[in-house]
Amino acid sequence: METPSSSVTRFPEIARQLREEILSGRYGAEGRMPSEAQLVRRFGVSRPTVARALRVLADEGLLERRAGSGSFVRQGVKSGAATSKLLALLVSGLGNTEIFQLICGEIASLARMHDYGLVWGGSDQPRLDPELSLKQTEQLCGQFIDRRVAGVFFAPHELVKEKEAANREMAVMLREAGIPVVLLDRDLVPFPNRSDFNLVGIDNFAGGHMLAEHLLKLGCQRIHFVARPHSAPTVEARLAGVREALARWNVRPEPNWIHIGEFEDKKFVRNLTGPARADAYVCANDHTAAMLMRELHQARVRVPEDVRVVGFDDVKFATLVSPPLTTVQQPCRDIALTAFRAMMDRLSDPTLPACQLTLTPRLVIRDSCGAYLPRPTEVSSENLWKQ
């Protein structure tokens, strides 16, 4: 008897077999497919599993479903060539990374407007997949290749040691299958290197420079950088931007000014919250900034009075933490639109050279950077007036 879990694994295999038969010309000029009841008996699965496999082929543009008549091979489908109208998202952190939720939601809307189906991770329906392991992501690559999707939007893995080799392998798998890839937000290789895939994201170097320069204008001199191990190349670009701003202001970074670690590590936290802490911390992203602010609060270190903190991304909780977080905004809608256009261009002309499309960052100033603290000169003038 078929179980729900076996249904999930069986329908891609059924779709693959039927796809091969369609492209081999097995169903002749009329193109009439076996009925769902016949396919249920043939594969020994439930009717919903068969229906799901047929829906996959319809999304790919291989089949059309005629009410009351059954399924037929779509006119114009030729042996050996699929006319797929199905795009896919390969985004490991879709369920818990807000910027990817927003970007992928916009891509889904654009796909519908252009008559494309869209697979979100391992699902045919828009939903938030849990965090995918490297192995699960590689399995999804295989499924996308079997389904002959038209193109894949890929946000490479981060925060895992084996990420670089695995990300590169998956992108090459898709390319060798003839499936265009557009990278979202980050590259496959360390900054400042570039892979030969299209990449769409914010100008992270400019964003890091913008944050550091803002803090320097506020009078900060001891500026440090905080990130987690095995972060994406985008974080390296942000760090490079901070370093450039310090150099342009003739500020020499302190020894050990770059902090890479996990907040579960007590020694790592003590270095950030203890007496030798910096004037200001530029954090790799808003999530890192929020964790740092929590640790500073527990150590009775005030933000921004004792130390200033800034993040990167401008996710929703940036306005909910106390104090509200100064950050760089990710233009998610524009990233999605640019990525979708890049995919359409790639589908129209696969010979186009790979390009990097970067969008302009915007600084969002809130309380955590101390911009709204009274300046010493202002306090002195007020006291003088009172006297």
Side-chain angles (χ1 to χ4, degrees), residues 15-16 19 22-23 53-63 74 77 82-87 117 119 124 143-150:
R16 184 188 65 78
R19 183 188 300 109
I22 291 169
L23 297 175
L54 293 174
R55 187 167 65 248
V56 167
L57 299 175
D59 287 342
E60 293 176 7
L62 296 175
L63 290 183
R74 188 180 294 275
V77 173
T83 56
S84 176
K85 291 284 286 184
L86 185 66
L87 301 171
V119 179
D124 288 306
Q143 291 183 26
F144 294 159
I145 291 168
D146 286 344
R147 295 177 72 166
R148 298 189 181 217
V149 300

Side-chain angles (χ1 to χ4, degrees), residues 104-178:
C104 293
E106 291 290 342
I107 289 175
S109 298
L110 291 164
R112 287 193 297 270
M113 289 171 57
H114 290 79
D115 197 29
Y116 277 86
L118 186 71
V119 179
W120 294 57
S123 170
D124 288 306
Q125 301 297 324
R127 67 179 177 88
L128 299 182
D129 286 299
E131 184 75 26
L132 298 174
S133 67
L134 285 174
K135 183 177 180 180
Q136 289 171 320
T137 313
E138 290 168 354
Q139 290 172 343
L140 277 179
C141 271
Q143 291 183 26
F144 294 159
I145 291 168
D146 286 344
R147 295 177 72 166
R148 298 189 181 217
V149 300
V152 173
F153 298 96
F154 180 25
H157 273 275
E158 66 167 344
L159 305 179
V160 288
K161 188 176 181 180
E162 307 85 359
K163 63 182 174 66
E164 188 174 329
N167 287 332
R168 181 75 187 185
E169 182 180 350
M170 286 183 280
V172 171
M173 282 171 55
L174 292 165
R175 168 184 280 165
E176 290 179 348

Side-chain angles (χ1 to χ4, degrees), residues 97-376:
T97 306
E98 184 181 314
I99 65 164
F100 285 135
Q101 294 175 22
L102 297 172
I103 292 169
C104 293
E106 291 290 342
I107 289 175
S109 298
L110 291 164
R112 287 193 297 270
M113 289 171 57
H114 290 79
D115 197 29
Y116 277 86
L118 186 71
V119 179
W120 294 57
S123 170
D124 288 306
Q125 301 297 324
R127 67 179 177 88
L128 299 182
D129 286 299
E131 184 75 26
L132 298 174
S133 67
L134 285 174
K135 183 177 180 180
Q136 289 171 320
T137 313
E138 290 168 354
Q139 290 172 343
L140 277 179
C141 271
Q143 291 183 26
F144 294 159
I145 291 168
D146 286 344
R147 295 177 72 166
R148 298 189 181 217
V149 300
V152 173
F153 298 96
F154 180 25
H157 273 275
E158 66 167 344
L159 305 179
V160 288
K161 188 176 181 180
E162 307 85 359
K163 63 182 174 66
E164 188 174 329
N167 287 332
R168 181 75 187 185
E169 182 180 350
M170 286 183 280
V172 171
M173 282 171 55
L174 292 165
R175 168 184 280 165
E176 290 179 348
I179 298 173
V181 174
V182 172
L183 301 177
L184 296 176
D185 179 65
R186 59 191 66 147
D187 209 333
L188 305 165
V189 293
F191 176 85
N193 299 316
R194 270 287 289 125
S195 68
D196 52 352
F197 291 89
N198 279 14
L199 169 64
V200 179
I202 197 172
D203 187 337
N204 290 281
F205 180 90
H209 188 282
M210 188 179 292
L211 286 168
E213 188 170 59
H214 174 66
L215 292 169
L216 289 163
K217 289 177 179 178
L218 293 175
C220 300
Q221 292 288 304
R222 300 175 55 246
I223 297 175
H224 290 201
F225 189 85
V226 185
R228 295 177 62 188
H230 311 300
S231 292
T234 52
V235 173
E236 299 174 56
R238 293 165 194 177
L239 173 58
V242 173
R243 185 183 282 110
E244 177 65 17
L246 295 176
R248 291 197 177 199
W249 279 66
N250 295 317
V251 174
R252 184 185 297 274
E254 292 189 322
N256 305 317
W257 69 286
I258 301 171
H259 304 266
I260 308 295
E262 300 285 2
F263 284 90
E264 291 78 12
D265 182 345
K266 292 182 179 180
K267 182 179 179 181
F268 175 72
V269 171
R270 281 198 300 271
N271 287 335
L272 296 170
T273 62
R277 61 181 176 269
D279 294 341
Y281 291 111
V282 177
C283 296
N285 51 49
D286 290 349
H287 185 245
T288 300
M291 290 192 293
L292 174 59
M293 289 167 66
R294 179 193 64 192
E295 297 296 339
L296 290 167
H297 176 75
Q298 291 178 356
R300 300 184 184 278
V301 177
R302 299 173 302 164
V303 177
E305 292 85 356
D306 300 328
V307 62
R308 303 167 193 236
V309 177
V310 298
F312 204 109
D313 287 340
D314 196 27
V315 296
K316 288 180 182 176
F317 69 74
T319 60
L320 302 178
V321 295
S322 180
L325 186 62
T326 293
T327 185
V328 166
Q329 186 182 76
Q330 291 264 16
C332 295
R333 187 177 185 281
D334 292 338
I335 290 173
L337 179 60
T338 305
F340 193 84
R341 286 177 175 169
M343 179 64 76
M344 293 299 100
D345 289 344
R346 177 66 55 186
L347 292 174
S348 299
D349 184 359
T351 66
L352 288 173
C355 62
Q356 179 174 352
L357 303 170
T358 55
L359 286 82
T360 303
R362 184 173 75 88
L363 181 66
V364 181
I365 300 174
R366 300 191 181 100
D367 292 344
S368 71
C369 66
Y372 304 118
L373 288 175
R375 303 290 178 89

